[in-house]
Amino acid sequence: MRTIMHVDMDAFFAAVEVLDNPEYAGKPLIIGGYKDSPRGVVSTASYEARKFGVRSAMPLRQAALLCPQGIFIPGRMHRYQEVSHQVHSIFPEFSPVVEPLSIDEAFLDMTGCEHFYSSLEEMGTCLKQRIREETGLTASVGIAPNKFLAKLASDWRKPDGLFVLRPHEVEGFLRDLPVSKLWGVGKKSEEVLHKHGLYYVRDILPHSLTWLQERLGAAMGAQVFNLARGLDDRPVEPWTDVQSVSNEITFPEDQDSFDFLRQQLAKMSEKVGWRLRRQGLYARTVSIKVRFGDFRTITRSHTLEHSFNDDDTIFQEALHLLQQVKLKPVRLLGVGVSNLSEGAQLSLFDAGSGGSASKLTEVMDAINRKYSHGTITRGRTLPQSDTPEH
Ligand SMILES: [Mg+2]
């Protein structure tokens, strides 16, 4: 039996702004852009702003209508990264097995560390106190036998929450949750479950694994079957000494359509970008790897002046490299980034250049984090039938 702790900072960007600008305390604060910015979306809303119905990923204009008295600011990614590093540097004091999940979240495997504390509640309280001492900010903590349950638990008493879920309490805790709380259940699977009259986790329990798999597909059916029972055996995976992040795909048949390869590059660029951002890393070099039908393999790379972690830069650079390769039927294609660092050399939130692309990425990441990666993707990853050949 594992003991997993999930830590999630409360309204992180907004909380950092209040920390640095005490005059914002207790006010509805909306990070993402100015009120009249035509294309922006909300990145984070303070709890006061959430009372007006303002949510992450909502267009700023809509937020301004819901909460006209709100304080709208573009945000300072550099500063959030800085505080994020402070927070993440506390976790190794508690466990050697830490998986950073995002700029303000992590899983800690606390298995075997239980006896250092008088109770699991004390364990959670200690971490919350350390974060508060070190940063002045509040976090919510969930402690449970696995990652899925720990993440639900940290959300349960937010903000400044602490919730411990013990094995014998799991069944009762899950019963009355809506099916959408199960990881991976997005709009499509939810619709299928609703169609069969399954609205709450308890409604899933009477159905067999096969019954669920027939309706949701093999993988999703099994996941829903297990998660409904509170079963999740994924280990906490620490990111250590990452030198590069890459993704590659071997095609079942050799491919010679440039459009198809471009589409694959776009998909892989999103995956690589997502993994970079998930680890709070930036890269300076993009590489591609191409294996031809005759098994000859080449790599090409390009290093930029500035660091980046957005899908667009990765994709554009990879595409540029691919365009310079004399194409023959391709068996394998890969995209990678290297020259990694923990700090950005450009601000994601600076008004003007590149701001909205980064905000889009931020919102896509938020959605993908919630519903599993790939839920939302850019149009260029889809087949384009009438794009002219390059
Ligand atoms: Mg958070």
Side-chain angles (χ1 to χ4, degrees):
M1 181 69 66
R2 291 178 183 140
T3 301
I4 308 296
M5 181 149 70
H6 179 255
V7 193
D8 184 10
M9 302 300 290
D10 302 318
F12 183 54
F13 296 172
V16 173
E17 290 300 337
V18 171
L19 188 72
D20 293 351
N21 307 277
E23 67 274 19
Y24 292 159
K27 303 214 172 104
L29 183 62
I30 294 151
I31 321 278
Y34 296 110
K35 201 182 291 191
D36 50 5
S37 103
R39 291 183 306 162
V41 292
V42 175
S43 165
T44 305
S46 69
Y47 287 94
E48 289 80 4
R50 292 179 197 191
K51 285 182 195 144
F52 293 86
V54 178
R55 296 283 178 272
S56 296
M58 175 182 279
L60 286 169
R61 283 190 164 166
Q62 192 184 344
L65 289 174
L66 288 169
C67 185
Q69 66 274 59
I71 301 166
F72 288 75
I73 49 175
R76 299 170 297 146
M77 200 61 195
H78 269 108
R79 177 67 180 134
Y80 309 149
Q81 291 278 2
E82 191 178 288
V83 182
S84 168
H85 287 307
Q86 261 181 298
V87 172
H88 282 276
S89 64
I90 295 169
F91 302 146
E93 297 172 17
F94 285 79
S95 166
V97 187
V98 178
E99 178 180 339
L101 203 57
S102 74
I103 190 163
D104 75 322
E105 269 178 275
F107 284 115
L108 282 68
D109 189 340
M110 301 300 292
T111 314
C113 304
E114 297 88 346
H115 64 277
F116 294 126
Y117 307 91
S118 62
S119 66
L120 296 179
E121 283 77 6
E122 198 215 344
M123 177 193 280
T125 305
C126 278
L127 179 61
K128 282 162 58 72
Q129 272 173 1
R130 274 293 289 131
I131 292 174
R132 192 168 210 145
E133 274 167 25
E134 194 72 30
T135 66
L137 298 174
T138 63
S140 292
V141 169
I143 302 176
N146 61 48
K147 285 163 88 170
F148 164 62
L149 294 169
K151 193 157 157 68
L152 284 179
S154 73
D155 201 41
W156 201 241
R157 296 275 156 82
K158 238 177 185 316
D160 202 10
L162 170 62
F163 188 66
V164 177
L165 192 55
R166 293 183 165 78
H168 67 275
E169 299 162 335
V170 170
E171 201 189 321
F173 177 80
L174 288 176
R175 281 186 67 76
D176 300 327
L177 295 182
V179 292
S180 59
K181 287 282 179 188
L182 302 178
W183 276 7
V185 174
K187 260 210 142 52
K188 225 178 90 197
S189 309
E190 190 184 24
E191 237 167 62
V192 175
L193 292 168
H194 284 181
K195 203 178 77 191
H196 290 92
L198 316 185
Y199 290 90
Y200 298 95
V201 172
R202 60 173 182 266
D203 303 330
I204 293 171
L205 298 176
H207 294 284
S208 70
L209 174 62
T210 326
W211 190 92
L212 287 165
Q213 287 183 317
E214 277 164 3
R215 280 147 190 92
L216 297 167
M220 183 56 71
Q223 185 163 325
V224 166
F225 182 87
N226 286 322
L227 293 182
R229 286 160 179 76
L231 302 174
D232 170 26
D233 60 7
R234 284 164 308 166
V236 174
E237 293 178 86
W239 297 99
T240 44
D241 282 320
V242 190
Q243 304 293 326
S244 66
V245 176
S246 65
N247 194 258
E248 59 180 47
I249 178 169
T250 304
F251 306 118
E253 287 166 32
D254 294 351
Q255 296 292 334
D256 55 7
S257 147
F258 190 85
D259 276 346
F260 176 82
L261 296 174
R262 180 176 51 202
Q263 185 193 323
Q264 299 304 314
L265 273 190
K267 274 189 201 171
M268 289 189 282
S269 302
E270 281 188 4
K271 281 188 190 156
V272 168
W274 156 262
R275 282 170 56 200
L276 262 185
R277 294 188 297 277
R278 211 180 100 143
Q279 298 166 74
L281 294 172
Y282 290 79
R284 281 186 56 214
T285 303
V286 175
S287 311
I288 61 164
K289 176 171 164 186
V290 185
R291 180 169 297 147
F292 299 106
D294 58 6
F295 283 93
R296 197 170 63 91
T297 305
I298 59 160
T299 57
R300 296 284 181 269
S301 58
H302 183 227
T303 298
L304 302 186
E305 298 273 317
H306 61 276
S307 58
F308 55 85
N309 68 359
D310 61 299
D311 305 343
D312 267 325
T313 307
I314 300 168
F315 172 65
Q316 297 302 342
E317 291 299 323
L319 183 63
H320 190 64
L321 291 168
L322 184 68
Q323 280 164 339
Q324 293 164 13
V325 173
K326 194 168 170 287
L327 277 189
K328 295 184 291 179
V330 170
R331 172 152 306 181
L332 173 150
L333 187 63
V335 177
V337 293
S338 53
N339 239 322
L340 304 182
S341 64
E342 291 198 326
Q345 285 159 32
L346 82 173
S347 170
L348 295 181
F349 276 78
D350 278 352
S353 63
S356 43
S358 297
K359 269 171 226 153
L360 173 66
T361 302
E362 183 83 19
V363 169
M364 286 177 60
D365 281 354
I367 294 169
N368 284 330
R369 209 158 38 236
K370 187 158 177 198
Y371 297 108
S372 84
H373 184 256
T375 303
I376 177 168
T377 178
R378 286 187 173 80
R380 66 181 175 227
T381 66
L382 304 171
Q384 298 171 338
S385 48
D386 45 20
T387 314
E389 287 283 326
H390 274 247

